[in-house]
Each structure stands twice: as C-alpha cells, then as structure tokens.
Amino acid sequence: MIARPEGGPRVVVGVDDSAGARCALSWAIGEARLRRLPLLVAHAAPLPPHVSAAGQLGCGITEALRGSGAELIARLLAEVSDGPPDGVAMTALALVGEPGATLVRLAGDDDILVVGHGTRGVLSRLLRPSVRLHCARRARATLVCVRPPAFDLLLESLTAGDEEPEHVPGSRFRRLGRRLRLPL
C-alpha cells in the first residue's frame, strides 16, 4: 500500500504512451496546482502472459518493465511540463500489474483519479481491457476522464494508418455518402 502524505487527498494520474495520457497528465498537473494537492503519477505495465505463467522466473523482466515505466514517466513530464512541475509535490511510480486494477488500488476515497480517454479499435479492446472503464466501475475516488483535443486524435489516427477516424465530425456521413454514392 502506498502511504499518503499527511493522509490528505491527492491527484492520482495514470499514464501510458498515448495522446490521452499526455492530456490527462497536463490536466492533473493543473488540478494539483489549483487545489494545492500532491500529485502521484503512476504507470502500470501488465506482466506478459508467458512471464506470469513462468512464476518467479520473470524477476529480470519485471525490473525491465519498471525501468521502462520510469523512463516513460520522465519523458512525459519533460514533454508536458519541461520536467517535474513547479509548485507541486510530485511522486512518480512505475509499477508492474494490470493498469486498471493498480490505479483503483492507488486511489483512495478522497483522491481525484485522472485517466485519459482514447479511441481504440475492436481488436485492441478485446486484447487489452479498458483502463477507463475498469476505473469507472470500481474506483472509490472521484474519476476524471480527459479526452485529447479532436485535432490530436486526428493526427494520432492518421499516423496509425487510418484513413479517416470515426470521431471526426462529419466522417460518418461521408462514409454513408460513399456507400450510397451520394456527392458530399
């Protein structure tokens, strides 16, 4: 269990390498400053199935996952706020475990839990459960889901190779028009 500074509330943010996580981290830093609360930045990497089946043989892999998680947190902090944010008491944790369950365990009743809200495909949702939905169902803390701006989502989907994302306004109508062969 993670000890709380002076037992008071804090802002807990879960991060990964996505646009939604960057926006969630930025929002969490601002909220921690505004409310003068400590900030806990957490990255949880799930243990690969072949390692969890091997039992204790995966000690080196767990250390590697924690190390890459710490590097990711440092890189995100550098991108979002040029390093650790000024005026905010911050703690960073790189953990190994299922991200949703780990965040729910970290955030207490009086905390603010911040997660990113991204868009994923059907196959991705089948392979990896949604952290946002897990937290929404099980967290005792106040949950805030931060969406990236529409422009960031558009850029992210274009770099992923999608021709046109569904969340861009009007894109469903364009696809419908193509199916019906209507000029739009």
Side-chain angles (χ1 to χ4, degrees), residues 23-176:
C23 293
L25 178 59
S26 178
W27 191 92
I29 290 170
E31 190 70 9
R33 269 195 195 119
L34 179 70
R35 296 180 184 263
R36 293 189 169 101
L37 294 174
L39 176 67
L40 173 62
V41 181
H43 171 76
L47 198 59
H50 68 279
V51 174
S52 59
Q56 294 287 14
L57 300 176
C59 293
I61 294 175
T62 58
E63 291 305 317
L65 287 172
R66 284 189 188 116
S68 65
E71 290 171 10
L72 174 69
I73 291 172
R75 184 169 43 92
L76 290 176
L77 285 170
E79 289 175 15
V80 170
S81 66
D82 293 328
D86 295 329
V88 176
M90 189 197 81
T91 305
L93 286 175
L95 304 166
V96 176
E98 289 303 316
T102 302
L103 290 174
V104 167
R105 276 195 314 270
L106 285 175
D109 293 340
D110 53 350
D111 291 338
I112 299 171
L113 176 59
V114 184
V115 294
H117 184 298
T119 57
R120 295 183 354 199
V122 176
L123 182 62
S124 176
R125 277 184 261 145
L126 286 173
L127 295 175
R128 288 182 303 145
S130 171
V131 173
R132 175 183 58 89
L133 292 177
H134 184 90
C135 292
R137 290 180 185 128
R138 293 176 178 89
R140 297 179 322 267
T142 302
L143 179 66
V144 178
C145 299
V146 181
R147 274 189 189 267
F151 184 72
D152 286 348
L153 285 172
L154 177 64
L155 285 178
E156 187 176 278
S157 67
L158 289 175
T159 57
D162 293 342
E163 124 185 354
E164 201 171 275
E166 275 193 37
H167 50 270
V168 175
S171 65
R172 287 188 183 119
F173 297 114
R174 279 190 223 110
R175 272 196 298 279
L176 178 64

